[in-house]
Amino acid sequence: MANIKKVVLAYSGGLDTSVILKWLINTYNCEVITMTADLGQPEDLSGVEEKAYKTGASKAYVMDLREEMARDYYFPMLRAAGLYENKYLLGTSIARPIITKALVDIAHKEGADAIAHGATGKGNDQVRFEFSAKALDPAIKVIAPWREWDLMSRTALNAFADANGIPISSGAKRYSMDANMLHTSFEGSELEDPGLAPDKSCHERCVPVEEAPDEAEIITVDFVKGNPVAINGKKMSPYEIVHELAILGGKHGIGRSDIVENRYVGMKCRGVYENPAGTILYILHQDLEGLCLDRNVLSIRNQLAVPYSEAVYDGYWFSPEREAMQAFMDKAQEMVTGSVTAKLYKGGVWPLSRTSPFSLFNKELATFEDSDYDHHDAAGFIRLHSLRLMQYARAKKHLAETK
């Protein structure tokens, strides 16, 4: 890319992005501004600015995006029942659009020519970052060093860091990991072979179920229009709710999944995910919907949840189709208000009871005791709805007779 004078880099302070910072300066002879997103990840971000300056950054931003991510990205996805391939709660996927938005905002503020990310050419994140960037600013340039440079191994990255005086951690990580308020993902090492079980070191958020407390914990979560607003009667901000449930769920070993999924770029990958807060909220939210959502609305919602989840996974957060689906999801959530009480125990979440001022459950209709319901009405209902089955049976019989 020609005429690159100033770049905003998504920066974590780890080996990859530290090397990218120096590589951008050396390759493009440009000014590099770093942006580190505080998304509630367990890592200690103190010192990340100092490290960026030592590696050559002209300016270093650390953005507290915790409340914005919970409120404007995760909660809308929760209302839409986001679950990719019926198993992945999209913990990494949902973080990419907000990171990209912060990069683009800073690029506009600082008059930068481009943004840069550390995603490889194999994965989904390159697509998520770049689709989001183009949706937010079609004219912005995006630099993806992993698609340009020849540093294709960890050995090469370490050699580059050593040659350029970049301070790196002395302890090598076993896994490639990503973390935010919702989840931690693990890839690499023995996980690259689906036939091998994860090593016992593959835990960060969730204790092994064998080490979880032997006593169950009962919690109640309140929802308003599909959004969680309180735990055990205590009102909290969106991030505070996610943070509190992440601690509670992790303590009970809730939220670990070991899955093989289909990447958007066309290959299968295997990862271990820990998402305690997302697991609890997904289960409790679905439970409350059973009380509050009309049968046909729920059916349509469940159908739309598949393309919605694929849109999030594939990087189309800022797309017209995701926004249109979100409008339906949010309309459907207008009466999803109430409380769910559940038991947390040894990796499991069991709803125990649920209440709502907008409950569609009518005890007078559902009871096995006497009520105003007229059982004779069901006969006509059955006759009408079985008409097509009877016509189909006659047609099948005729078909068999003609063979």
Side-chain angles (χ1 to χ4, degrees), residues 206-217 247-254 343-348 350:
C206 307
V207 301
V209 289
E210 298 86 357
E211 298 175 18
D214 292 328
E215 206 168 303
E217 185 164 357
I247 294 171
L248 284 174
K251 180 177 75 173
H252 290 279
I254 293 165
K343 175 168 64 176
L344 313 180
Y345 181 69
K346 296 287 187 183
W350 288 275

Side-chain angles (χ1 to χ4, degrees), residues 38 46 218 232 261 396-397:
D38 181 357
S46 63
I218 308 299
N232 296 332
E261 72 201 50
K396 280 192 0 180
K397 181 180 179 183

Side-chain angles (χ1 to χ4, degrees), residues 88-108:
Y88 169 43
L89 284 167
L90 298 161
T92 294
S93 312
I94 196 60
R96 296 329 188 203
I98 189 173
I99 293 172
T100 309
K101 182 177 181 296
L103 290 171
V104 172
D105 287 347
I106 292 172
H108 291 165

Side-chain angles (χ1 to χ4, degrees), residues 121-161:
K122 278 187 175 183
N124 297 305
D125 280 340
Q126 59 179 338
V127 179
R128 295 166 183 156
F129 284 127
E130 296 181 41
F131 282 179
S132 294
K134 292 302 181 183
L136 293 167
D137 181 355
I140 201 161
K141 298 181 179 70
V142 182
I143 301 174
W146 276 97
R147 301 202 302 261
E148 295 185 27
W149 65 18
D150 57 359
L151 305 173
M152 293 302 175
S153 69
R154 203 154 191 84
T155 300
L157 291 175
N158 277 296
F160 182 96

Side-chain angles (χ1 to χ4, degrees), residues 356-376:
S356 170
F358 308 116
S359 171
L360 299 180
F361 186 93
N362 187 328
K363 187 177 179 180
E364 290 302 314
L365 291 176
T367 182
F368 284 101
E369 302 300 327
D370 288 338
S371 71
D372 292 335
Y373 179 78
D374 188 343
H375 291 262
H376 296 93

Side-chain angles (χ1 to χ4, degrees), residues 32-44:
V32 178
I33 298 167
T34 62
M35 191 288 294
T36 303
D38 181 357
L39 300 177
Q41 59 267 45
E43 289 88 349
D44 181 5

